[in-house]
Amino acid sequence: MTLTIRRDRLRQALSEYGSLVVAYSGGVDSSYLLAEAVDVLGEDVLAATAVSPSLPESERLAAAQLARTLGARQIEVPTDEMERAAYRRNDGDRCFHCKSALFDVVEPLARALGIATIAVGTLVDDLDDHRPGQRAARERGVVTPLSDAGLGKDDVRALARARDLPTWDKPAAACLASRVVYGLQVTPLRLNRIEEAEEWLRQRLPTGRNLRVRDHGALARVEVDPAELPAVIAMAEEVGTHLRSLGWTYVTLDLAGFRSGSMNALLSVKGGSDPG
């Protein structure tokens, strides 16, 4: 099936919803879904962006700017996952509780607006792993138009590029909680220092394209693209000093480089996978 046919299938499905709330983070997947939905449904689309300590401020601002550019109605909805003990506990199913908190807010909002359908940007690639957040979506009847049309990550990037969306080559930007080692409690303080550390590093690297500061309690583990390892090593003393000033006792550089979801190596249950 050609990419054009799959795109047309997506648009046809969107037209059949009539109205839609898109769970919109500003990443490449939800941005492309929102752009297509606005084209097809116009003002009958609402972009709902979850705002909590797990969302970096830079991501919130970028998402809002892109929504304005697309001409989409957007609402920022505060979510209360941080108040949920099961989320703070940070077991392998943390994403289930995070997405549940989102849908607990979005569902009544959609009802109040007379919108029957909520959509997320799940892709075909995501179906290989049983991710807890996907389970929360299935339990709530949330639709997945991109994967239903047979679209994967490379497809969406190509289609987003064809539309001149600025997010077409945006790196994965999972929530800040994905940086906290499983079993270590998620707190606003931990998330704030991760956000500050990553922003500080990003400003000092040649690209800072793929970057994570993983929180292992007393230890911070830095992941960057392999090509940027020499740059971090060259400023190792400065990096160590700054990250220790944020509260870590030890700072280490992961020589394997950036790997999305690297925390999952610590899980014994596949169902706990996390895209961070």
Side-chain angles (χ1 to χ4, degrees):
M1 187 186 304
T2 68
L3 187 55
T4 299
I5 291 175
R6 281 175 281 166
R7 181 202 61 197
D8 291 345
R9 286 181 60 180
L10 169 66
R11 292 176 175 174
Q12 178 60 36
L14 292 172
S15 70
E16 293 172 0
Y17 295 133
S19 59
L20 194 65
V21 174
V22 175
Y24 168 66
S25 66
V28 60
D29 309 325
S30 65
S31 296
Y32 175 70
L33 176 59
L34 178 62
E36 291 289 355
V38 169
D39 279 359
V40 174
L41 298 172
E43 294 184 356
D44 291 321
V45 175
L46 177 68
T49 302
V51 176
S52 75
S54 68
L55 177 70
E57 179 66 6
S58 59
E59 292 293 320
R60 184 188 71 80
L61 294 174
Q65 176 59 49
L66 180 55
R68 288 192 293 271
T69 300
L70 294 174
R73 289 191 299 157
Q74 185 206 18
I75 185 169
E76 294 181 344
V77 291
T79 54
D80 68 353
E81 64 267 25
M82 195 63 69
E83 299 174 20
R84 303 183 181 208
Y87 172 85
R88 295 194 307 273
R89 189 167 58 240
N90 195 21
D91 294 335
D93 63 349
R94 182 195 65 244
C95 282
F96 173 85
H97 304 291
C98 180
K99 287 296 188 291
S100 295
L102 169 62
F103 299 140
D104 282 348
V105 175
V106 173
E107 284 177 335
L109 172 65
R111 285 196 300 271
L113 295 173
I115 301 175
T117 308
I118 301 168
V120 293
T122 300
L123 301 170
V124 169
D125 312 60
D126 301 327
L127 304 179
D128 291 337
D129 289 326
H130 173 64
R131 294 180 175 175
Q134 293 180 24
R135 176 165 59 91
R138 286 194 302 271
E139 290 180 0
R140 305 298 185 97
V142 173
V143 300
T144 55
L146 298 179
S147 62
D148 292 348
L151 295 171
K153 176 66 76 174
D154 290 343
D155 300 325
V156 166
R157 288 195 183 279
L159 291 167
R161 185 177 190 179
R163 292 187 57 110
D164 291 325
L165 291 180
T167 53
W168 77 267
D169 65 343
K170 182 178 180 178
C175 77
L176 292 170
S178 69
R179 279 73 148 167
V180 182
V181 66
Y182 291 111
L184 187 66
Q185 188 175 61
V186 176
T187 67
L189 178 62
R190 290 191 187 283
L191 301 183
N192 287 341
R193 74 175 181 177
I194 290 169
E195 180 178 5
E196 183 175 343
E198 290 188 351
E199 186 59 31
W200 183 88
L201 275 169
R202 188 168 287 110
Q203 293 174 3
R204 286 162 176 78
L205 291 175
T207 70
R209 178 174 171 80
N210 288 309
L211 166 66
R212 297 286 188 270
V213 175
R214 309 287 191 184
D215 190 336
H216 292 257
L219 181 143
R221 176 168 57 90
V222 177
E223 294 181 9
V224 297
D225 279 329
E228 295 196 307
L229 288 170
V232 180
I233 292 171
M235 57 177 181
E237 183 176 353
E238 183 184 4
V239 172
T241 297
H242 186 75
L243 267 61
R244 284 192 294 271
S245 76
L246 296 177
W248 286 287
T249 304
Y250 307 103
V251 178
T252 185
L253 175 63
D254 193 323
L255 298 182
F258 169 79
R259 289 102 64 215
S260 181
S262 69
M263 288 297 198
N264 294 337
L266 301 174
L267 290 176
S268 59
V269 181
K270 181 180 180 182
S273 60
D274 185 327

